[in-house]
């Protein structure tokens, strides 16, 4: 029998449970191209995990609102073509259900985009909680999104683990008093993730499942 290590698991969305990396990169490239700007893929990958508003206001303040609108329009229009679930994630969700582990998603996406992403890969209705950008005033690496999720689930943050692919995910989990698991298959660079000192770092969904649920 498995012995879950945590009673609650919270997940980041992009690059963690759903492969949206190509969609996000191409959306940024498209939006920036409309104002004659460009950014290389390695740089764009470091933006993943932050809100669009934070990125655009910081880097392109004179065009932030227009860039965000352009990004969102292109992103939603190409979602069905470019997103997919990481192999093994739906089965992992099934195993969490079977083990009595509660799980949810805390993402920097807007609710409409997050819901559309779940719909696109058939994961709608699979999580106990979906916390999105509009639920808190501050966003990762602030702990607010994770503390909000814990509050909505009625749990102590110390009873949860947050799983994500970005350094901002690890920082947010630490600040919230949660354990953290970094996954190396998303946008983040493994060495950068390791340097943040997560509770653990895993390279496959099978390894994540074994860590969370324990060995049979």
């Amino acid at each position: 029998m498995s012995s879950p290590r945590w009673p609650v698991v919270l997940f980041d969305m992009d690059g963690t449970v759903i492969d949206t990396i190509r969609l996000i990169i191409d959306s940024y490239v498209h939006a920036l191209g409309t104002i004659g700007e460009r950014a290389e893929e390695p740089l764009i990958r470091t933006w993943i995990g932050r809100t669009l508003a934070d990125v655009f206001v910081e880097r392109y303040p004179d065009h932030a609102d227009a860039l965000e609108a352009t990004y969102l329009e292109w992103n939603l229009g190409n979602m069905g073509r470019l997103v997919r679930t990481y192999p093994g994630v739906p089965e992992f969700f099934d195993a969490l259900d079977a083990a009595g582990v509660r799980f949810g998603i805390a993402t920097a996406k807007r609710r409409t985009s997050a819901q559309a992403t779940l719909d696109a890969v058939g994961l709608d209705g699979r999580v106990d909680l979906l916390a999105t950008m509009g639920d808190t005033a501050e966003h990762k690496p602030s702990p607010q999104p994770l503390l909000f999720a814990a509050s909505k689930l009625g749990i102590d943050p110390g009873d949860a683990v947050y799983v994500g692919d970005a350094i901002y995910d690890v920082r947010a989990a630490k600040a919230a008093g949660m354990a953290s698991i970094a996954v190396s298959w998303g946008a983040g660079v493994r060495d950068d993730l390791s340097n943040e000192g997560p509770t653990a770092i895993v390279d496959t969904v099978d390894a994540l499942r074994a860590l969370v649920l324990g060995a049979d």
Side-chain angles (χ1 to χ4, degrees):
M1 297 292 291
S2 63
S3 178
R5 187 170 176 183
W6 296 276
V8 176
V9 182
L10 296 174
F11 296 93
D12 168 59
M13 178 179 285
D14 294 316
T16 301
V17 296
I18 302 175
D19 185 358
T20 57
I21 304 303
R22 186 76 265 151
L23 174 65
I24 291 172
I25 291 169
D26 289 356
S27 297
Y28 270 118
V29 169
H30 171 78
L32 293 177
T34 64
I35 62 167
E37 296 283 351
R38 65 189 301 270
E40 298 299 329
E41 181 170 325
L43 174 60
I44 294 174
R45 282 177 171 266
T46 68
W47 300 344
I48 297 176
R50 303 177 64 197
T51 68
L52 295 176
D54 285 346
V55 172
F56 286 140
V57 168
E58 177 184 292
R59 292 184 170 270
Y60 309 97
D62 294 339
H63 305 280
D65 290 343
L67 284 171
E68 186 170 358
T70 301
Y71 175 107
L72 289 170
E73 181 181 10
W74 197 92
N75 185 278
L76 289 171
N78 290 274
M79 186 173 292
R81 179 172 65 88
L82 292 175
V83 303
R84 58 190 55 81
T85 307
Y86 286 110
V89 167
E91 294 80 6
F92 180 33
F93 282 6
D94 290 340
L96 290 172
D97 271 331
V101 176
R102 301 172 73 192
F103 57 99
I105 288 175
T107 175
K109 282 182 175 294
R110 293 173 178 267
R111 183 163 295 274
T112 52
S113 295
Q115 189 63 60
T117 305
L118 291 174
D119 292 343
V121 296
L123 291 180
D124 180 39
R126 291 300 312 274
V127 297
D128 296 314
L129 170 78
L130 176 60
T132 62
M133 186 189 79
D135 291 319
T136 57
E138 296 179 7
H139 309 290
K140 296 181 293 185
S142 165
Q144 280 195 17
L146 305 191
L147 295 175
F148 171 82
S151 175
K152 294 294 287 186
L153 291 172
I155 63 161
D156 186 291
D159 291 332
V161 62
Y162 189 56
V163 182
D165 69 313
I167 59 173
Y168 313 110
D169 299 324
V170 178
R171 292 174 184 176
K174 285 185 171 183
M178 293 182 183
S180 59
I181 300 174
V183 303
S184 66
W185 57 75
V189 176
R190 198 184 197 284
D191 285 347
D192 293 341
L193 293 168
S194 181
N195 288 339
E196 293 294 325
T199 306
I201 184 167
V202 295
D203 300 313
T204 67
V205 175
D206 285 344
L208 175 62
R209 177 173 173 167
L211 178 62
V212 171
L213 293 179
D216 290 336

